[in-house]
Amino acid sequence: MTAPLQADVTLEVPFHDVGSMGIVWHGHYLKYFEIARTALMRRAGMDLAEMQASGYVWPVVTCDVKYVRPLRYGQKVRVVATLEDYDCRLRISYAIFDLESGERLTRGSTTQFPLDAATGETRFETPAGLVAAIERAMA
């Protein structure tokens, strides 16, 4: 069995992401997920330009976040994105860990569906180029 495609990024929580209590506003977690998702897709060789050239767009249709412990200003974290499924959709799971202790602080997932870039119609297949790129990266 092949290990799933995975990428991680290290971030330091910036001042502009926290509220008056010094903890990260809940919506910024999605931004951290997106940074890790971008690293994941780059690892597969499918950054924005390649995704656009495929003729498909991939809007997020569902998002789930479980806030286990709050992130705080200045905290260094590791955000891991794992490709769970790429058959007719992209399902990616995420985990945020404290860099020092290794404790998992947050987990979540997103699902994206392919749309034809020209028509906006939902497509019920994963583009062959994306499948090939993912399988090359997993090899």
Side-chain angles (χ1 to χ4, degrees), residues 1 13 18 21 25 28 43-44 55 59-60 71 78 83 105 131:
M1 182 171 173
V13 174
V18 300
M21 294 184 290
W25 174 69
H28 288 303
R43 184 161 182 215
V60 172
L71 304 182
R78 183 171 64 99
L83 182 62
L105 306 170
V131 171

Side-chain angles (χ1 to χ4, degrees), residues 57 114-123:
V57 294
L115 301 180
D116 183 288
T119 66
E121 298 284 324
T122 300
R123 301 303 302 228

Side-chain angles (χ1 to χ4, degrees), residues 73-93:
Y73 167 69
Q75 186 174 22
K76 291 179 177 67
V77 297
R78 183 171 64 99
V79 186
V80 179
T82 304
L83 182 62
E84 301 289 347
D85 185 16
Y86 58 97
D87 185 22
C88 299
R89 64 182 175 173
L90 293 177
R91 194 168 69 75
I92 301 170
S93 65

Side-chain angles (χ1 to χ4, degrees), residues 10-138:
T10 300
L11 305 170
E12 181 176 337
V13 174
F15 177 76
H16 61 264
D17 282 0
V18 300
S20 60
M21 294 184 290
I23 61 174
V24 172
W25 174 69
H26 69 276
H28 288 303
Y29 289 73
L30 301 179
K31 174 174 57 178
Y32 304 155
F33 288 177
E34 180 66 13
I35 292 168
R37 186 202 66 79
T38 299
L40 177 71
M41 297 313 294
R42 283 182 178 157
R43 184 161 182 215
M46 294 298 288
D47 204 357
L48 181 60
E50 293 82 10
M51 295 287 273
Q52 289 174 327
S54 76
Y56 292 78
V57 294
W58 292 85
V60 172
V61 295
T62 64
C63 181
D64 180 56
V65 183
K66 173 64 175 172
Y67 304 96
V68 179
R69 298 238 188 278
L71 304 182
R72 300 182 180 281
Y73 167 69
Q75 186 174 22
K76 291 179 177 67
V77 297
R78 183 171 64 99
V79 186
V80 179
T82 304
L83 182 62
E84 301 289 347
D85 185 16
Y86 58 97
D87 185 22
C88 299
R89 64 182 175 173
L90 293 177
R91 194 168 69 75
I92 301 170
S93 65
Y94 306 89
I96 300 177
F97 299 91
D98 180 81
L99 198 58
E100 188 175 306
S101 71
E103 178 185 13
R104 185 176 65 186
L105 306 170
T106 307
R107 66 178 183 267
S109 65
T110 57
T111 302
Q112 297 168 254
F113 276 97
L115 301 180
D116 183 288
T119 66
E121 298 284 324
T122 300
R123 301 303 302 228
F124 295 99
E125 73 271 355
T126 302
L130 179 58
V131 171
I134 290 168
E135 290 176 354
R136 274 192 309 274
M138 290 173 35

